[in-house]
Amino acid sequence: MKTTIKPVLFSLIAAGVLLSPLAGAADIKPRIIRFGYGLAEDSNQGRAVKMFAQEVAKLSGGKLKVKGFGSASLGNDIQMQNALIGGAQEMMVGSTATLVGVDKDFGVYDLPFLFSNEREADTVLDGTFGSKLLGRLPAKGLVGLTYWENGFRNVTNTKHPINRFEDFQGIKLRVMQNPVYIDMFNSFGANAVPMAFSELFTALETKTVDGQENPVNTIQSSKFYEVQKYLSVTKHVYSPWVVTVSKKWWDGLSRDEQKVLQDAANSSRAFERKDSRAEAMRSVKFLAQQGMQINYVSDAELKRMRDKAKPAFDKFAAAGGATVLADLQSALSKSGQ
Ligand code: TK8
């Protein structure tokens, strides 16, 4: 055996096949990257994964092949996160909110009414603060490549429009699996039910919960308008998505391959945000056409909600988040300058 393998190996090396993993060798099988996500293929998330895949194919000359798996077909956000950490899956995109299971400080983004507009969010996420927080992930088995926009979250339900925080009274509201959300909505008087996104449509359909909160893009792409009557524009949280890679798998890549993924992630960020923002403008009209009753919460009532939810900040700080919160607030104060 040995005598036959050696010459083959030698000629492969001579052909440069084993020495230059990114250069031309068409006979080497592409590395398959399973990239899981929770939303439908036809969503801002799905479109951005597709664009990222094309970019990776282009930059790697076809040596790296990203396969997108939408609708949580590889598992919900928490399950995928664990699969990445264990090395059983290569990539995913999901809400930063579910990263609290990995590092509690990620809950800072979920504090109510933290960002007033997309510009503030972009400045903080794309600046030193955002990358510093991503820099915490490798120690936990994940590599964070970039933030995408999930967007400002709004409430839907089947009972009545939400005009004031008192209207949350008695509403069973699905929230992400994150203590900041549970506290926030319980402080409004809702009955907050933490649940994986992948179970949400059925839970709404069977009335296990009365409502949920997500950006208008998601309310459209997940067809929540089929099972929800009222959409109340509250913009209570700006929610980022984060593109992550399994650290175990990442460590086995060459520097060139890592660069391809990072560069493609950087390009995908601009694409995804532009696409999401353009779609959000159209979604409200679409949802109205589908028969949703839409109301905009007044500034005065939003201020009452903000005041009511303030204890969430103190609680987050007291539970070990004081430093990360102060850092974020300082980054935010600079964003206006
Ligand atoms: C998709 C989720 C979703 C998030 C949620 O898997 O859970 O409500 O907003 O986008 O990450």
Side-chain angles (χ1 to χ4, degrees):
M1 275 301 269
K2 268 183 190 161
T3 46
T4 54
I5 287 173
K6 262 191 190 158
V8 173
L9 254 184
F10 180 76
S11 59
L12 278 175
I13 290 169
V17 169
L18 294 182
L19 292 180
S20 54
L22 277 179
D27 44 340
I28 282 200
K29 273 207 206 136
R31 263 187 204 275
I32 305 291
I33 302 168
R34 285 161 300 172
F35 191 145
Y37 57 98
L39 301 193
E41 240 174 80
D42 184 16
S43 67
N44 50 341
Q45 207 176 42
R47 289 189 294 274
V49 170
K50 198 167 164 201
M51 182 271 180
F52 174 78
Q54 285 164 351
E55 201 63 14
V56 169
K58 194 175 84 192
L59 295 177
S60 70
K63 304 292 272 307
L64 296 174
K65 189 171 163 46
V66 175
K67 278 195 173 176
F69 290 87
S71 304
S73 55
L74 294 183
N76 65 40
D77 285 0
I78 292 180
Q79 289 165 335
M80 289 197 285
Q81 240 164 246
N82 291 335
L84 259 60
I85 293 168
Q89 181 184 325
E90 293 77 31
M91 287 189 73
M92 71 171 284
V93 60
S95 174
T96 49
T98 43
L99 278 177
V100 291
V102 169
D103 186 327
K104 275 206 296 201
D105 279 2
F106 274 89
V108 74
Y109 292 131
D110 302 303
L111 288 166
F113 303 102
L114 183 68
F115 297 126
S116 343
N117 51 50
E118 284 92 354
R119 192 186 47 76
E120 281 184 7
D122 291 356
T123 311
V124 170
L125 295 166
D126 303 348
T128 325
F129 178 87
S131 38
K132 227 173 108 185
L133 205 52
L134 289 186
R136 303 263 290 274
L137 290 175
K140 310 285 180 173
L142 296 167
V143 176
L145 294 186
T146 193
Y147 295 101
W148 287 353
E149 172 157 304
N150 188 354
F152 278 104
R153 304 179 77 89
N154 301 300
V155 184
T156 68
N157 82 98
T158 49
K159 299 272 182 188
H160 50 241
I162 306 290
N163 281 303
R164 320 174 301 154
F165 73 74
E166 287 87 347
D167 297 328
F168 280 104
Q169 192 68 45
I171 290 195
K172 263 202 208 165
L173 191 79
R174 175 271 175 176
V175 296
M176 290 194 278
Q177 291 150 298
N178 171 308
V180 177
Y181 281 92
I182 301 171
D183 290 345
M184 181 188 338
F185 288 103
N186 285 341
S187 77
F188 294 156
N191 176 2
V193 183
M195 184 189 288
F197 183 84
S198 53
E199 289 163 33
L200 180 52
F201 186 90
T202 308
L204 293 169
E205 195 175 34
T206 56
K207 302 205 168 18
T208 307
V209 291
D210 305 313
Q212 64 85 42
E213 45 84 56
N214 254 298
V216 285
N217 309 61
T218 300
I219 297 166
Q220 173 170 352
S221 63
S222 296
K223 299 191 166 45
F224 291 158
Y225 54 84
E226 289 180 356
V227 285
Q228 294 280 273
K229 178 75 184 156
Y230 302 101
L231 164 61
S232 305
V233 179
T234 49
K235 294 190 164 188
H236 49 277
V237 171
Y238 175 91
S239 170
W241 278 324
V242 59
V243 177
T244 49
V245 186
S246 159
K247 170 87 167 42
K248 256 192 183 163
W249 179 76
W250 175 262
D251 287 344
L253 298 178
S254 69
R255 292 232 169 228
D256 286 345
E257 288 170 324
Q258 291 178 349
K259 186 171 179 325
V260 162
L261 294 182
Q262 186 62 65
D263 289 350
N266 296 347
S267 318
S268 72
R269 183 179 80 191
F271 168 88
E272 194 273 346
R273 286 195 187 146
K274 197 165 165 233
D275 177 55
S276 294
R277 286 168 194 176
E279 183 186 49
M281 309 279 278
R282 298 189 301 267
S283 282
V284 176
K285 200 171 155 206
F286 172 87
L287 295 171
Q289 283 164 353
Q290 301 310 307
M292 286 196 94
Q293 195 173 310
I294 303 171
N295 69 290
Y296 289 83
V297 180
S298 72
D299 287 346
E301 288 301 330
L302 286 176
K303 187 180 176 308
R304 285 183 69 237
M305 281 186 195
R306 182 177 301 148
D307 291 344
K308 185 83 183 162
K310 274 244 166 76
F313 281 73
D314 304 330
K315 198 169 168 192
F316 180 80
T323 310
V324 73
L325 178 57
D327 282 357
L328 191 147
Q329 278 167 334
S330 128
L332 199 51
S333 69
K334 285 182 206 131
S335 82
Q337 289 163 15

